Amino acid sequence: MRKYPNLSSPYTIRNITFRNRIVTTPTGLTYPDEYSGAPDFKTVLFYEKKARGGAASVTYGETPVNNVDAVRRPNVDILRPDFSRMILPNKDWVKYTDAITRHGAIASIQLAHAGLFAEPIFNAGKGAVIGPVSFVKENGTPVKGMDEADMARIANDFAEAAFCAKNAGFQEVMVQCCHGWLLAQFLSPVWNTRTDEYGGPIENRAKFPLQVLKAVREKIGEDMVIEIRISGDEHQENGWPIEDVIKFSHMVEGIVDIIQISAGDYHNSEHYCFSDTLMPHFCNVPVARALKKAGVKTAISVVGAADDPEEMERLVKEGIVDFIAIGRGALADSDMPKKILLGKEDDIRPCVRCGECMDRIYNGFYSCTVNATTGQEAYLLNTPVAEEKKKVLVVGGGPGGMQAAITAYDRGHEVILVEKNSCLGGTLLFTDIDVHKKDLKKFKDYLIGQVLKRKITLRLNTIADTALLEELKPEAIIVAAGATPRVLKVDGCEHAYHATAAYYQPEKVGKKVVLIGGGLIGCEVALHLAELDKEVTILEISDKLARDANMFHRPTMFECMEKKKDKIHSILNASTTAIKKNGVVYNDASGNEQFVEADTMLYAVGSIADTAIVEELRAWDGWEYFRPIGDCTGASIIRKAVHGGYYAALDI
């Protein structure tokens, strides 16, 4: 008998059968081919990997329904023909849909209009932006409140785009009604302040979205699935209440086949669109439960950090949801559905919900902290098994070293992993203690488990030095020796401990703490201490807390800190000058000397790369290949260590 029979069971809508109940969401990476407007080769490979990984459906990312006033960013895909440039993309989209359906998955595509958040510079019209009401945005862009002619035109745009999707081989379209895009702008009282028949109660605010959905259904017929995505909770003042969500869900019955529940608004509560590690798992299930309780007949799909197969199975079995939607989890491990259904949960590379994947869309190239291959599928097509088996020594049992050891072993090398401490984990060992780091602990435990599953020679309590190299005579050396905390150098520093004492030496931490350094580490330690009922004052030398946190994690962390405002206090522009036995002396923004009393002084002021061991090992002349990775090349984030470990092993 299958371990998860309900999660494994098929579900048929309009004669289209979903092979199981795990679907993937439209997560990023949409890069069009320059000439056709359809997805380019690397994008097709990125999505195909999800289909091959066992997902029941794979939804292509945000695709504008026109290029006149719907587009919010550059380099978007084109689904509808653009006769002005003789771009006829359908035949090229078939390459994408075939890549999904040949693996047994349903090909879906998200259709969207950015509404008042479109950018004229990216649209052919380059005219006024449209939205529910007229106003001028903060950047000076005028927004035109839509009239009925605009509504008819946009409804037709959605319908035509859906028809083009059908002709291109898609079996499902997802109409974007959430996260603050145009249809959500009409549904939400935050954006829709109209006083005519399209504003006011939900029955009025829903008229235009219903017009769109009816137009789509009429155009594509009865043999294609329509899914909508809604924000069950907008997490903003005056957002639509659950009563409106229920009413709207009843309104779309018979038109829409699946309602996928997400949360948040990209423009006021963006961090709720992608649940953070500080948020609960399965965070949108309460809305799904409310819809089912209210008798909504449409199939319900829910996204929001689904990570426990047993809980997924229970939700489907009890009829609370019909589908589990996986977003970033399928970036961390595209084989997640297959591994769940085969009962191989321990082999799932877990998403740590760090937000780096989304952040890097804006600040780099699309990637995943824990999976170095995500977004790089085209470049790794010819990744070979090692041509010649080598003896590989990996120094350091942190995340980078473990990833290097795993990858080198899987490529066919003999691997020896040495760690100076008595256990693997490195800098991630603190996750065993910090109550907010369960996702990261899960990743640490996954890496340890993967090392132990392989015939990797593991030597703990072992110092890597020249004598060890002479004993082992490795042909390749990967050094992941990490970094050491930078010591705070002020008068009285002997009275202070590094912030990690909060985890490893809790007996030294009293009830009233001063924490010098308000970077990401300092803020997260403060949150941990607040959970232990400690009172913490953060002294930060700059004018901003957590400068090194990404744009998605920072607001969630600040929200959590605000909830603990009786325990966490912060002082910015505070330059520490001395540490006393009973507190800290600092200069404030005006240069005036101040004193904050405490019984414990901690600091987190950066780290120093452990380069000495790198140079000692590099000096040994017996190696053919040598690569330092991770923090020993300069302290940074986990992504650097994991990616460095993977690619260092790939090059041997």
Side-chain angles (χ1 to χ4, degrees):
M1 181 178 176
R2 292 193 179 277
K3 188 173 183 180
Y4 304 112
N6 293 282
L7 207 52
S8 302
S9 64
Y11 194 102
T12 300
I13 304 173
R14 298 183 184 273
N15 293 319
I16 296 171
T17 299
F18 294 75
R19 58 183 169 184
N20 57 59
R21 306 304 185 89
I22 304 174
V23 299
T24 60
T25 68
T27 42
L29 198 68
T30 54
Y31 292 115
D33 179 82
E34 182 179 354
Y35 300 103
S36 72
D40 67 0
F41 178 60
K42 65 178 182 291
T43 307
V44 171
L45 291 175
F46 169 81
Y47 282 96
E48 182 180 14
K49 190 166 69 171
K50 295 183 184 183
R52 200 168 57 243
S57 72
V58 177
T59 303
Y60 192 78
E62 176 191 331
T63 307
V65 296
N66 70 41
N67 65 348
V68 176
D69 52 22
V71 185
R72 69 181 178 96
R73 61 179 177 82
N75 302 321
V76 294
D77 304 281
I78 298 173
L79 189 58
R80 299 172 63 191
D82 182 353
F83 293 107
S84 67
R85 294 185 288 165
M86 288 308 295
I87 293 178
L88 307 173
N90 273 6
K91 62 182 179 65
D92 290 290
W93 275 99
V94 171
K95 296 176 183 176
Y96 171 84
T97 55
D98 182 62
I100 303 305
T101 58
R102 66 184 174 219
H103 297 292
I106 303 300
S108 175
I109 185 168
Q110 185 187 65
L111 305 179
H113 191 300
L116 63 90
F117 294 105
E119 292 293 340
I121 191 172
F122 302 134
N123 286 279
K126 293 186 172 59
V129 171
I130 60 172
V133 297
S134 298
F135 72 103
V136 178
K137 293 165 66 173
E138 289 183 2
N139 64 4
T141 301
V143 177
K144 176 195 174 189
M146 292 171 62
D147 56 29
E148 291 187 343
D150 292 318
M151 295 180 195
R153 174 175 62 85
I154 299 303
N156 183 67
D157 286 342
F158 272 94
E160 289 292 337
F163 186 71
C164 289
K166 183 175 183 177
N167 286 339
F170 285 96
Q171 299 146 292
E172 176 185 356
V173 290
M174 174 189 279
V175 178
Q176 174 68 303
C177 297
C178 76
H179 294 169
W181 303 131
L182 181 62
L183 302 187
Q185 290 161 21
F186 269 83
L187 290 170
S188 174
V190 173
W191 303 109
N192 186 351
T193 56
R194 295 174 74 118
T195 56
D196 63 1
E197 63 179 296
Y198 295 97
I202 184 60
E203 291 78 7
N204 289 359
R205 302 197 313 271
K207 283 184 178 180
F208 172 55
L210 285 171
Q211 180 182 353
V212 168
L213 295 171
K214 289 175 182 177
V216 171
R217 174 56 71 200
E218 182 178 355
K219 191 72 176 181
I220 63 175
E222 300 297 323
D223 58 348
M224 193 175 185
V225 174
I226 296 178
E227 180 175 13
I228 60 171
R229 206 178 197 203
I230 62 172
S231 291
D233 187 338
E234 294 182 290
H235 292 281
Q236 56 183 335
E237 189 176 349
N238 200 35
W240 70 336
I242 187 63
E243 294 79 14
D244 284 1
V245 179
I246 292 170
K247 287 180 180 179
F248 181 68
S249 297
H250 280 303
M251 291 176 196
V252 302
E253 287 176 357
I255 307 169
V256 167
D257 304 298
I258 305 171
I259 300 171
Q260 185 177 117
I261 302 166
S262 184
D265 180 306
Y266 267 32
H267 318 289
N268 291 331
S269 53
E270 186 174 22
H271 52 299
Y272 281 97
C273 301
F274 319 100
S275 72
D276 185 83
T277 187
L278 294 170
M279 297 177 183
H281 288 270
F282 297 95
C283 50
N284 296 316
V285 167
V287 177
R289 186 177 284 109
L291 296 189
K292 288 290 188 178
K293 186 177 180 181
V296 172
K297 297 180 177 65
T298 308
I300 301 296
S301 175
V302 67
V303 70
D307 71 326
D308 180 355
E310 291 187 1
E311 178 66 5
M312 296 181 201
E313 170 73 7
R314 185 187 70 81
L315 291 170
V316 175
K317 180 181 180 180
E318 295 181 5
I320 296 168
V321 304
D322 300 288
F323 295 98
I324 300 290
I326 305 293
R328 290 168 295 167
L331 303 183
D333 192 336
S334 59
D335 290 334
M336 181 185 188
K338 185 189 300 181
K339 290 175 180 177
I340 288 175
L341 299 180
L342 291 175
K344 296 182 177 180
E345 304 95 324
D346 291 345
D347 290 330
I348 296 171
R349 183 180 291 265
C351 170
V352 296
R353 297 195 291 168
C354 60
E356 283 291 319
C357 54
M358 303 305 301
D359 182 75
R360 290 185 69 81
I361 290 177
Y362 301 97
N363 299 304
F365 64 90
Y366 201 80
S367 65
C368 171
T369 288
V370 301
N371 188 342
T373 70
T374 297
Q376 304 302 306
E377 291 77 15
Y379 308 106
L380 298 172
L381 274 178
N382 296 316
T383 302
V385 173
E387 294 180 4
E388 181 183 348
K389 185 175 182 179
K390 304 280 188 180
K391 181 185 281 190
V392 180
L393 173 66
V394 179
V395 178
M402 287 191 284
Q403 181 62 69
I406 292 165
T407 305
Y409 180 87
D410 289 350
R411 293 191 61 238
H413 295 298
E414 176 191 351
V415 181
I416 304 163
L417 175 59
V418 301
E419 164 58 44
K420 64 182 178 181
N421 295 312
S422 60
C423 61
L424 295 173
T427 56
L428 298 187
L429 285 170
F430 82 98
T431 63
D432 291 336
I433 304 163
D434 194 318
V435 294
H436 296 298
K437 294 297 181 181
K438 292 179 181 177
D439 291 321
L440 204 51
K441 170 179 166 49
K442 195 171 181 180
F443 176 57
K444 183 261 294 178
D445 292 344
Y446 160 82
L447 287 175
I448 293 173
Q450 294 301 304
V451 168
L452 297 179
K453 278 188 175 185
R454 290 160 171 79
K455 294 180 180 179
I456 294 170
T457 301
L458 179 60
R459 295 179 60 163
L460 301 174
N461 300 304
T462 301
I463 298 296
D465 54 18
T466 304
L468 182 69
L469 300 186
E470 289 291 351
E471 173 196 340
L472 299 176
K473 293 187 167 43
E475 295 156 282
I477 303 171
I478 298 174
V479 185
T484 54
R486 186 183 300 277
V487 176
L488 182 66
K489 294 182 179 179
V490 296
D491 289 343
C493 60
E494 67 275 9
H495 300 306
Y497 306 101
H498 188 260
T500 51
Y503 304 120
Y504 304 127
Q505 298 171 295
E507 72 282 356
K508 293 184 176 180
V509 181
K511 294 288 290 183
K512 195 168 185 178
V513 180
V514 169
L515 206 163
I516 302 164
L520 176 59
I521 291 175
C523 290
E524 290 186 336
V525 169
L527 264 178
H528 171 72
L529 290 172
E531 292 289 349
L532 300 177
D533 203 32
K534 313 287 188 183
E535 184 178 340
V536 185
T537 299
I538 301 172
L539 298 182
E540 167 55 33
I541 195 169
S542 74
D543 61 354
K544 186 176 183 180
L545 290 176
R547 284 183 175 274
D548 48 341
N550 69 53
M551 62 187 288
F552 294 95
H553 182 54
R554 184 184 296 113
T556 309
M557 184 170 63
F558 287 169
E559 215 168 83
C560 291
M561 291 172 70
E562 177 64 20
K563 291 176 182 177
K564 294 286 184 180
K565 61 183 178 182
D566 60 324
K567 297 293 182 184
I568 301 176
H569 318 282
S570 61
I571 302 172
L572 302 178
N573 299 300
S575 178
T576 300
T577 57
I579 298 174
K580 306 294 185 181
K581 290 183 178 180
N582 63 336
V584 176
V585 180
Y586 69 94
N587 291 332
D588 63 20
S590 301
N592 298 316
E593 187 173 276
Q594 305 288 349
F595 179 76
V596 57
E597 186 179 352
D599 53 36
T600 308
M601 283 67 71
L602 303 177
Y603 63 89
V605 291
S607 300
I608 301 174
D610 193 351
T611 57
I613 188 172
V614 174
E615 295 313 314
E616 179 183 352
L617 300 182
R618 193 199 304 269
W620 183 69
D621 62 4
W623 53 264
E624 299 174 11
Y625 175 92
F626 185 92
R627 178 82 66 83
I629 64 165
D631 283 356
C632 68
T633 66
S636 187
I637 57 178
I638 295 169
R639 176 188 177 277
K640 177 183 175 183
V642 173
H643 286 228
Y646 179 84
Y647 287 105
L650 204 64
D651 291 343
I652 300 173

